[in-house]
Amino acid sequence: MKRLSAVLPQGYRVARAREALSLAAPCPDSPCDFRQATLKADCVNKPFAQRCHDLETVIEEFPAKELHSIFPWLVESIFGSLDGIIVGWNLRCLQGRTNPTEYSVALDFLDPSGPMMKLVYKLQAEEYRYDFPVSYLPGPVKASIQEQVLPECSLYYNKVQFPSSGGLGLNLALNPFEYYMFYFAISLITQKNSPIAHHISPSNSAYFILVDTYLKCFLPTEGSVLPPPSSNPGGAIPSPTPRSPAVPFNSYGMHHTSLLKRHIAHQPSVNADPASQEIWRSETLLQIFVEMWLHHYSLEMYQKMQSPHVKESFKPTEEHVLVVRLLVKHLHAFSNSLKPEPLSPSAHSHTASPLEEFKRVVIPRFVQQKLYIFLQHCFGHWPLDASFRAVLEMWLSYLQPWRYAPEKPPQTTELLPRSVSEKWAAFIQENLLMYTKLFVGFLNRALRTDLVSPKNALMVFRVAKVFAQPNLAEMILKGEQLFLEPELVMPHRQHRLFMTPTLSGSFFSSWPPTITDASFKVKSHVYSLEGQDFQYKQMFGTEVRNLLNEAQLTQMMMKCGTAQDENGKKQLPDCIESEDGLILTPLGRYQIQGLFSYTELQPIRSYENATLVRLLFRLSSALNERFADQMDVLCSREDFVGRFCRYHLTNPHIIQKIRYSPVLKDRTNQNWGPRISLRFLASYRTLISLLMMYFIASWFYIGPVGCTFIILLGYFLYAIIMTFFYEGWKPHEH
């Protein structure tokens, strides 16, 4: 961005900066000093761009000692207060289409190389600390700390402080980078009740763009983490030094020496490897995002939430889930950018950079457990409406790391599904519950929804399309077989944490012994997430197959055009992949809408009487079943009688075209011949028209029987005339 300060004289900039600092200087006699309140009012009354200009001037011209006092206020004025009362800049509603100037200025000011981050690093160099109330942390973290049990995540080590004399509550003592990112991440939660206009798209907001920008900067898929901006060229901003604990804690995760610090200690020069120096920012950013966005349900809380009598403690929003999906997609790309291991033996002696080692374990160690519990909760408690699509896409994004791999699929003329490579078998096995238990959970949820709704039906298609990818089902089945293998040697199985490394602990913790047995890995994954008493339900077992045969699901499949071919594989509408997932092609839309165009199976309209629709459907079905052969014979005739019958009976032509499409090419066992459709009689318009005819006939002293005869005779003459004009099989709709 072109710096706004450059357009003003140097003397003016310095004068305005010193004026701002004099107003911001804290008064020793009062925590609510009058001069800081004046600065706040001054910033509110100025245009947004001018406010950012003044702040940039202050940050550029003054040392950390003078900036230290305004930093907490500035962070709160940008991201809002923790209680949600102060909205701040409202980044979640700031969009370039509606507020282009403010949008551009805000993104430039908060960019990783912008003025705000320069302030963070300037304060970071002086090792300032800022208090963050424990009471605003996610529920499981807050409960753990208040019970004086240190959470597993290394983010909280040596940071919990007892309240000062007369103070209330516990606080975390955070360095400036942590403090800034804590506020940034938690503003998605604390500000979720702020009003958002319906035309606002969360994925186009300044907040969403900043999340993407920070992920790309601190978790780069190419190259190393960029060094922090510094006023001293070549000067290094040191990583945070460990501090002595302020309160004794019992830890349920072992705290080990930092791998990073050992790595740096053996280097002749810290500046020789910028990635080693600055990787603490990558770990800190990821841990904060995961803790603030996903760690709202502990294992114990999740197990309690299975009871329908337990009140839901935290309700994520659709916007929240969209941001988590962005995180998941980037982590897959980040992890998949890991350089392949060298083949030559001499190359193995070379130590991989901390960033490369971080990529290797970023998903299982930081994300897997918390995301699994988060998804389990969403599957069980999300409203049964179309907004669940956000949760669904986030889940499917996690299940398909190959979509974010650097290699591109081969270009083929045929739109065939891409086979899942065997190299992903380890990921599938080590995330088995993500595939199997959540799939069963989705089926149970789908059976409770209105599957006649196209949006709900499309979600079922979306899941089936993903799981129908060639080779995926075989790898999932292999994972189930590994889990169900007899346990030959499984010592200390009663201790769940003994079996697996700490999933949410620090990347820099010392490594646990390498687990080589595939069966042991799968068992460790399942037991660490579900406990030792977990009764595994096989995805390819009888119980799930019986669930799939439920009448409601079968009816939906019939209506929406899904079938099974002779090999038993799911056949789905034609789709293509896009950045937002699979979308229907024109053929796919035709495939879905084809059977819905069959009048009897369309959803009940607002202009129809629901009771009459159901009664007439039963009557039509009984007549069609009773006289199917006779109607087929009549419609097969080539004379006037055949054309007359074909005009009146629902035409099978559309059904035949779908039958021979790639989706329904083998469904020859369905009776899609000529059919009677009486549904038009349930239309309020038809009923009112008939009543009007009977009412008008009564004026001419014509009774109901006579009026009915006249109506039928008139329609018969009309139908004869129309039959001459409509040759061939033309659908007749009322």
Side-chain angles (χ1 to χ4, degrees), residues 123-170:
L123 298 173
Q124 187 82 28
E126 302 297 329
E127 299 188 2
Y128 285 110
R129 293 294 186 272
Y130 301 91
D131 288 342
F132 188 94
V134 170
S135 59
Y136 286 102
L137 294 175
V141 180
K142 177 175 64 176
S144 177
I145 293 178
Q146 289 174 345
E147 294 172 3
Q148 297 194 1
V149 178
L150 189 64
E152 290 181 9
C153 181
S154 64
L155 185 65
Y156 306 107
Y157 291 157
N158 302 328
K159 291 184 175 66
V160 182
Q161 304 290 317
F162 270 132
S164 58
S165 178
L168 298 176
L170 296 168

Side-chain angles (χ1 to χ4, degrees), residues 368-412:
Q368 185 194 67
Q369 183 189 67
K370 294 183 176 67
L371 180 63
Y372 173 74
I373 298 173
F374 183 83
L375 283 169
Q376 280 276 39
H377 182 273
C378 289
F379 275 47
H381 295 81
W382 199 274
L384 295 174
D385 56 27
S387 66
F388 185 73
R389 179 68 183 266
V391 179
L392 185 76
E393 293 298 338
M394 186 251 288
W395 172 49
L396 297 180
S397 292
Y398 184 82
L399 297 187
Q400 302 179 88
W402 46 87
R403 288 188 57 197
Y404 312 100
E407 66 266 16
K408 300 297 182 182
Q411 298 295 328
T412 59

Side-chain angles (χ1 to χ4, degrees), residues 482-483 485 487 490 519-527:
L482 289 172
F483 173 73
E485 281 184 3
E487 301 177 24
M490 201 70 173
S519 176
F520 189 82
K521 284 184 178 181
V522 177
K523 295 176 189 292
S524 299
H525 157 71
V526 172
Y527 291 135

Side-chain angles (χ1 to χ4, degrees), residues 319-338:
E319 180 189 16
H320 180 172
V321 173
L322 290 174
V323 173
V324 172
R325 187 192 179 209
L326 176 64
L327 173 65
V328 167
K329 291 167 64 176
H330 184 83
L331 289 181
H332 275 319
F334 177 69
S335 179
N336 290 334
S337 66
L338 177 68

Side-chain angles (χ1 to χ4, degrees), residues 638-675:
E638 296 298 330
D639 55 8
F640 176 80
V641 175
R643 294 198 300 272
F644 186 84
C645 292
R646 289 194 293 269
Y647 175 74
H648 285 86
L649 299 177
T650 301
N651 194 285
H653 185 58
I654 296 178
I655 307 301
Q656 283 185 335
K657 284 197 287 187
I658 298 178
R659 182 192 306 166
Y660 294 111
S661 74
V663 176
L664 291 177
K665 59 184 178 181
D666 294 316
R667 289 197 72 146
T668 56
N669 60 331
Q670 295 291 340
N671 182 10
W672 298 119
R675 304 173 66 84

Side-chain angles (χ1 to χ4, degrees), residues 40-321:
K40 297 177 183 179
D42 187 39
C43 285
V44 169
N45 294 328
K46 285 184 177 181
F48 183 75
Q50 183 63 39
R51 275 185 274 162
C52 291
H53 159 259
D54 290 345
L55 289 171
E56 183 179 6
T57 303
V58 169
I59 293 169
E60 287 283 348
E61 301 296 338
F62 290 90
K65 182 178 180 180
E66 298 183 63
L67 297 171
H68 165 59
S69 60
I70 68 169
F71 180 65
W73 162 78
L74 180 56
V75 170
E76 186 176 83
S77 68
I78 294 173
F79 300 124
S81 58
L82 296 175
D83 56 13
I85 297 177
I86 300 175
V87 178
W89 289 4
N90 200 9
L91 297 171
R92 294 168 49 251
C93 298
L94 188 59
Q95 297 206 349
R97 185 169 58 86
T98 54
N99 303 97
T101 302
E102 291 83 354
Y103 175 84
S104 177
V105 170
L107 290 182
D108 288 340
F109 189 83
L110 301 177
D111 188 80
S113 59
M116 191 63 191
M117 291 305 292
K118 289 182 180 179
L119 172 60
V120 168
Y121 293 126
K122 187 178 285 190
L123 298 173
Q124 187 82 28
E126 302 297 329
E127 299 188 2
Y128 285 110
R129 293 294 186 272
Y130 301 91
D131 288 342
F132 188 94
V134 170
S135 59
Y136 286 102
L137 294 175
V141 180
K142 177 175 64 176
S144 177
I145 293 178
Q146 289 174 345
E147 294 172 3
Q148 297 194 1
V149 178
L150 189 64
E152 290 181 9
C153 181
S154 64
L155 185 65
Y156 306 107
Y157 291 157
N158 302 328
K159 291 184 175 66
V160 182
Q161 304 290 317
F162 270 132
S164 58
S165 178
L168 298 176
L170 296 168
N171 293 301
L172 297 180
L174 305 177
N175 64 49
F177 184 82
E178 293 168 337
Y179 187 80
Y180 174 85
M181 287 301 173
F182 259 89
Y183 262 86
F184 173 74
I186 207 170
S187 64
L188 180 67
I189 310 301
T190 57
Q191 303 295 323
K192 67 180 181 180
N193 294 324
S194 59
I196 296 182
H198 292 293
H199 65 277
I200 296 278
S201 172
S203 59
N204 293 326
S205 69
Y207 186 88
F208 195 90
I209 300 301
L210 279 173
V211 172
D212 186 50
T213 302
Y214 290 155
L215 288 173
K216 290 177 179 177
C217 175
F218 297 112
L219 299 170
T221 56
E222 297 181 2
S224 303
V225 183
L226 294 177
S230 174
S231 57
N232 299 322
I237 303 298
S239 59
T241 56
R243 307 174 72 242
S244 58
V247 56
F249 275 85
N250 300 315
S251 175
Y252 54 83
M254 297 300 293
H255 184 206
H256 302 286
T257 305
S258 170
L259 176 62
L260 169 65
K261 293 179 176 62
R262 296 203 309 271
H263 187 84
I264 293 179
H266 289 84
Q267 286 187 344
S269 172
V270 171
N271 293 328
D273 189 350
S276 299
Q277 177 191 346
E278 293 304 329
I279 199 172
W280 64 267
R281 291 179 296 162
S282 304
E283 183 196 19
T284 299
L285 176 87
L286 178 59
Q287 286 185 320
I288 290 174
F289 283 1
V290 171
E291 289 294 299
M292 295 301 104
W293 297 340
L294 294 178
H295 197 182
H296 294 276
Y297 317 102
S298 63
L299 279 171
E300 293 74 16
M301 185 183 299
Y302 156 65
Q303 291 167 357
K304 292 178 182 177
M305 290 299 293
Q306 304 309 299
S307 171
H309 305 292
V310 177
K311 186 178 180 181
E312 186 177 2
S313 57
F314 174 80
K315 297 180 179 180
T317 62
E318 187 174 354
E319 180 189 16
H320 180 172
V321 173

